[in-house]
Amino acid sequence: MARLDKDLGELFTYLDKEVGRGNYVVALSADHGVVPIPEDMQKTGADAGVLHLPEVQERIEKALESFNYPKPAVARIAGSDIYFAPGVYDKLQQDPAALRAVLDAALAQPGVAAVYRAEELRDRPATQSPTLRAFAYSYFPGRSGDLFILPKPYWLLDGTPPGKPRSYGTGHGVPYNYDQHVPVLPMGFGIQPGQHFQPITPADIAPTFAALCGITLSSRDGHVLSEALKKPSEPRAPVQPARPNSAPPAATKPNP
């Protein structure tokens, strides 16, 4: 944080000198938040912990033993994405009993709130579930996994192999407020100082800057943060000079 503060100070000093204070606009944001440290949350009495992904993989492999699937059936787990070995998930989609066994095995792991399938996320389906919608926005066919793990709130996804200490205290990549809540701090030309609390996204920065520059973006995510912009001052009505020897206007009486 001290280094960031120093870097920003140098940037603003340069811009003030080369461009002129008030002649530029900048925005500070972030790409994600973080999960509160599980051990700290446990001290408050919250349901928190570490979701061990290698254990999820082990449960899935064990669940498929009676269905004669090749081992290993799971190629890897990266973050919340479960990738099966080539051809395995295609077979699971035609094998409801085996797929149900896989889903039940994953849901039995402490810290797992839900498991979504790739076909549930394709084409960004309309849904009232904010978590399902967030996963759908992140889904990319051919690159994303076959199954997706939603951890319970305050549970940290951990891919550390068994027997090794966790190498990090927290992480990110889940659709909860603490992970999605990031700052958006615009400053400079055309920006109205103040605080606003409606939901926005860092994708709103580009169209807002474009509006300040008089540019219309052909296509975009996000919208103009009009509430953060200074309103154009209204033109003042011209003052008519007083005519000489003119009487003052007659007073009007209010209508009761």
Coordinates of all heavy atoms in Angstrom, one line a residue, residues 10 15 25 65-66 69 73 78 89 103-104 121 137 143 179 202 208 223 225 228 235 239 244 252:
E10 N 3.7 10.0 -7.6 CA 4.5 10.4 -8.7 C 3.8 10.6 -10.0 O 4.1 11.5 -10.8 CB 5.6 9.3 -8.9 CG 6.6 9.2 -7.7 CD 7.6 8.1 -7.9 OE1 7.4 7.3 -8.8 OE2 8.5 8.0 -7.1
L15 N 1.5 14.4 -14.1 CA 0.3 14.9 -14.8 C 0.1 16.3 -14.5 O -0.3 17.1 -15.4 CB -0.9 14.0 -14.5 CG -0.9 12.6 -15.0 CD1 -2.1 11.8 -14.5 CD2 -0.8 12.5 -16.6
V25 N -8.3 13.3 -16.4 CA -9.2 12.5 -15.5 C -8.6 11.1 -15.4 O -8.0 10.5 -16.3 CB -10.6 12.4 -16.1 CG1 -10.6 11.8 -17.5 CG2 -11.5 11.6 -15.2
E65 N -15.8 -45.4 -9.2 CA -15.2 -46.8 -9.2 C -16.2 -47.8 -9.6 O -15.9 -48.8 -10.4 CB -14.6 -47.1 -7.9 CG -13.3 -46.3 -7.6 CD -12.8 -46.7 -6.2 OE1 -13.5 -47.4 -5.4 OE2 -11.6 -46.3 -5.9
S66 N -17.4 -47.8 -9.2 CA -18.4 -48.8 -9.5 C -19.0 -48.7 -10.8 O -19.8 -49.5 -11.3 CB -19.5 -48.8 -8.4 OG -20.2 -47.5 -8.4
Y69 N -15.3 -46.3 -14.9 CA -14.7 -45.2 -15.7 C -13.2 -45.3 -15.6 O -12.6 -45.8 -14.6 CB -15.2 -43.9 -15.1 CG -16.6 -43.5 -15.7 CD1 -17.7 -44.1 -15.3 CD2 -16.6 -42.4 -16.6 CE1 -19.0 -43.8 -15.8 CE2 -17.9 -42.0 -17.2 CZ -19.0 -42.7 -16.8 OH -20.3 -42.3 -17.3
A73 N -10.3 -40.2 -13.7 CA -11.4 -39.6 -14.5 C -11.3 -38.1 -14.5 O -11.7 -37.4 -15.5 CB -12.7 -40.0 -13.8
A78 N -9.0 -26.6 -11.3 CA -8.3 -25.3 -11.3 C -9.3 -24.2 -10.8 O -10.3 -23.9 -11.5 CB -7.9 -24.9 -12.7
Y89 N -16.6 -36.6 -19.6 CA -17.8 -35.8 -19.3 C -18.9 -36.1 -20.4 O -20.0 -36.1 -20.1 CB -17.5 -34.3 -19.2 CG -18.7 -33.6 -18.7 CD1 -19.1 -33.8 -17.4 CD2 -19.4 -32.6 -19.5 CE1 -20.2 -33.1 -16.9 CE2 -20.4 -31.9 -19.0 CZ -20.9 -32.2 -17.7 OH -22.0 -31.5 -17.2
L103 N -22.0 -35.7 -8.7 CA -22.5 -34.5 -8.1 C -22.7 -34.7 -6.6 O -22.3 -33.8 -5.8 CB -23.8 -34.1 -8.7 CG -23.7 -33.7 -10.2 CD1 -25.1 -33.4 -10.8 CD2 -22.8 -32.5 -10.4
D104 N -23.2 -35.8 -6.2 CA -23.4 -36.1 -4.7 C -22.1 -36.1 -4.0 O -22.0 -35.7 -2.9 CB -24.2 -37.4 -4.5 CG -25.6 -37.3 -5.0 OD1 -26.1 -36.1 -5.1 OD2 -26.3 -38.3 -5.2
L121 N -24.8 -23.4 -17.9 CA -24.2 -22.1 -18.0 C -24.1 -21.6 -19.4 O -24.0 -20.4 -19.6 CB -22.8 -22.1 -17.4 CG -22.7 -22.7 -15.9 CD1 -21.2 -22.5 -15.5 CD2 -23.6 -21.9 -15.0
Y137 N -21.7 -15.8 -16.7 CA -21.0 -14.7 -17.3 C -19.5 -15.1 -17.5 O -18.8 -14.7 -18.4 CB -21.1 -13.5 -16.5 CG -22.3 -12.7 -16.7 CD1 -22.9 -12.0 -15.6 CD2 -23.0 -12.7 -17.9 CE1 -24.1 -11.3 -15.7 CE2 -24.2 -12.0 -18.0 CZ -24.7 -11.3 -16.9 OH -25.9 -10.6 -17.1
R143 N -12.9 -23.7 -22.9 CA -11.8 -23.2 -22.0 C -12.2 -23.4 -20.6 O -11.4 -23.8 -19.8 CB -11.6 -21.7 -22.3 CG -10.4 -21.2 -21.5 CD -10.2 -19.7 -21.8 NE -9.8 -19.5 -23.2 CZ -9.7 -18.3 -23.8 NH1 -9.9 -17.2 -23.1 NH2 -9.3 -18.2 -25.0
D179 N -16.0 -10.6 -2.6 CA -15.1 -10.8 -3.7 C -15.4 -9.9 -4.9 O -14.6 -9.6 -5.7 CB -15.2 -12.3 -4.2 CG -14.0 -12.8 -4.8 OD1 -13.2 -12.0 -5.4 OD2 -13.7 -14.0 -4.7
P202 N -16.4 -1.9 -12.8 CA -15.3 -1.3 -13.5 C -15.5 -1.1 -15.0 O -14.8 -0.2 -15.6 CB -14.1 -2.2 -13.1 CG -14.5 -2.8 -11.8 CD -16.0 -3.0 -11.9
T208 N -17.8 6.1 -19.3 CA -17.8 7.4 -18.6 C -16.7 8.3 -19.2 O -16.9 9.5 -19.4 CB -17.6 7.2 -17.1 OG1 -18.7 6.3 -16.7 CG2 -17.6 8.5 -16.4
H223 N -22.0 1.3 -18.5 CA -22.8 2.5 -18.8 C -22.1 3.7 -18.3 O -21.2 3.7 -17.5 CB -24.2 2.4 -18.3 CG -24.3 2.5 -16.8 ND1 -23.9 1.5 -15.9 CD2 -24.7 3.5 -15.9 CE1 -24.1 1.8 -14.7 NE2 -24.5 3.1 -14.6
L225 N -21.4 6.7 -15.9 CA -21.7 7.1 -14.5 C -22.1 8.5 -14.5 O -21.3 9.4 -14.0 CB -20.5 6.7 -13.7 CG -20.1 5.3 -13.7 CD1 -18.8 5.1 -12.9 CD2 -21.2 4.4 -13.1
A228 N -21.8 10.7 -11.3 CA -20.5 11.1 -10.9 C -19.9 12.3 -11.7 O -18.8 12.8 -11.4 CB -19.5 10.0 -10.9
P235 N -26.7 28.4 -18.8 CA -26.3 29.8 -19.2 C -27.1 30.8 -18.5 O -28.3 30.7 -18.3 CB -26.6 29.7 -20.7 CG -27.7 28.6 -20.9 CD -27.3 27.6 -19.8
V239 N -28.4 40.3 -18.8 CA -29.0 41.4 -18.0 C -29.3 42.6 -18.9 O -28.4 43.1 -19.6 CB -28.0 41.9 -16.9 CG1 -28.6 43.0 -16.1 CG2 -27.7 40.7 -16.0
P244 N -33.5 54.8 -19.0 CA -33.5 56.0 -18.1 C -35.0 56.5 -17.9 O -35.8 56.4 -18.8 CB -32.7 57.0 -19.0 CG -32.8 56.5 -20.4 CD -32.9 55.0 -20.3
T252 N -47.0 43.1 -7.7 CA -48.2 42.3 -7.8 C -48.7 41.8 -6.5 O -47.9 41.5 -5.6 CB -47.8 41.1 -8.7 OG1 -46.8 40.4 -8.2 CG2 -47.4 41.6 -10.1

